[in-house]
Amino acid sequence: MVQKAKILLVDDRPENLLALEAILSALDQTLVRASSGEEALKALLTDDFAVILLDVQMPGMDGFETAAHIKRRERTRDIPIIFLTAINHGPHHTFRGYAAGAVDYISKPFDPWVLRAKVSVFVELYMKNCKLREQAALLRLQLEGDGHAGGGHEKEPAGLLAELSARLAAVEEQAEALSKQLDDESADAAAVATAAHLERKLTGLRRALDALEPGTGGGAGVLPAQG
C-alpha cells in the first residue's frame, strides 16, 4: 500500500479551507487543516508535508511571518510553500512573498485546475524523494549487515544489490519522465530546480550502487549523503 502525501492547508476562514479541500480531493492525498499560523507550526512539528498552501491575510501571525518561521526550522525549511492571497498589492507585495520563501504566489479567485496541477507536481516530487530515501535506507541496512557478518554464515549481497538496482532504475525512469513533463509544460522554476535536485541525488545513489558491484573495490563509505 502506497503511503499518501500530506498537504497542509492554512487559512483562517473555514469556507476557504472547504473550497481548497474540494479542489484538491481529486489528488487522493491526505489534506490537513490549520486555521492559523500558530496551528500550522504545531502541525509541522510532528508531520512531514509535501507542500503547504498558505493564506497571506490572517489575523495575528500572517502568512509572511508563518513562512519565516517555517524556513528557519531545519526540519521544514525545504517544504514548498504556495501563497494564496485575496488581494493584489502589486509587484512589491508579490516580491515579499517570494522573499519569504514561497515557490509560487497565487491571487484569489484562482483557477482550480491550475492550483491542482501545481500542487500535484510537488506531491509527485515528494513521493519520488520518499522512494529514494527508502532505497538508501535498504542499502545502509545491507552494508551494516555485511559489516557485522562473520563466522560460518556469510551474507551474499549480490541479490539485494540487483534488487536495489532494479528499484532505483524504476525511480530514475519516473524522475526522467517528470523532468521532461516539466520542460514541456514550462513549469515554475522552483519545480524544475527541485526535480533537478532529485535527479542529482539519484545519480549519487546510482554511483554508490555501481561502486558496490563485485570487483569494484567499493565499500560502505561510498554511500552518498542524503540532503
Side-chain angles (χ1 to χ4, degrees):
M1 182 177 176
V2 178
Q3 185 175 0
K4 294 183 179 181
K6 291 183 178 180
I7 302 169
L8 183 58
L9 313 177
V10 189
D11 199 304
D12 62 298
R13 294 179 176 271
E15 63 271 23
N16 290 343
L17 290 171
L18 188 63
L20 288 173
E21 288 176 337
I23 293 170
L24 300 176
S25 61
L27 298 179
D28 193 27
Q29 305 300 326
T30 301
L31 306 177
V32 178
R33 283 187 175 202
S35 58
S36 67
E38 292 86 353
E39 191 175 330
L41 293 176
K42 288 180 181 178
L44 288 162
L45 287 174
T46 54
D47 289 325
D48 293 324
F49 292 90
V51 62
I52 302 169
L53 273 65
L54 181 57
D55 183 41
V56 173
Q57 307 296 130
M58 294 189 295
M61 184 185 295
D62 66 10
F64 296 131
E65 188 178 353
T66 303
H69 282 288
I70 292 171
K71 293 303 177 182
R72 279 199 292 264
R73 293 178 179 176
E74 184 176 356
R75 174 189 172 94
T76 58
R77 65 178 53 163
D78 293 326
I79 302 177
I81 298 174
I82 298 177
F83 271 137
L84 305 175
T85 180
I87 53 177
N88 187 356
H89 291 292
H92 177 73
H93 198 257
T94 302
F95 175 77
R96 187 182 175 193
Y98 287 118
V103 298
D104 211 337
Y105 197 99
I106 302 177
S107 297
K108 303 173 186 177
F110 42 76
D111 186 330
W113 292 95
V114 171
L115 180 63
R116 188 159 51 237
K118 289 177 179 292
V119 171
S120 68
V121 168
F122 290 107
V123 167
E124 192 167 355
L125 288 171
Y126 173 81
M127 300 300 282
K128 297 274 191 301
N129 271 300
C130 287
K131 287 183 179 180
L132 177 58
R133 287 194 293 267
E134 289 173 3
Q135 305 309 320
L138 284 173
L139 180 57
R140 284 194 183 93
L141 287 174
Q142 178 59 40
L143 292 173
E144 291 172 2
D146 291 342
H148 291 93
H153 183 67
E154 190 71 19
K155 291 191 176 182
E156 294 293 338
L160 182 61
L161 285 176
E163 181 181 352
L164 284 172
S165 181
R167 291 184 181 183
L168 179 58
V171 179
E172 287 171 333
E173 183 178 352
Q174 293 174 356
E176 183 180 358
L178 178 60
S179 295
K180 290 181 179 178
Q181 178 185 357
L182 290 174
D183 290 339
D184 293 341
E185 296 178 356
S186 300
D188 297 330
V192 174
T194 304
H197 178 62
L198 174 60
E199 288 193 336
R200 287 194 296 271
K201 293 171 73 175
L202 287 170
T203 300
L205 187 54
R206 170 60 66 189
R207 288 174 179 167
L209 283 174
D210 291 343
L212 290 170
E213 290 294 329
T216 62
V222 300
L223 190 65
Q226 295 300 306

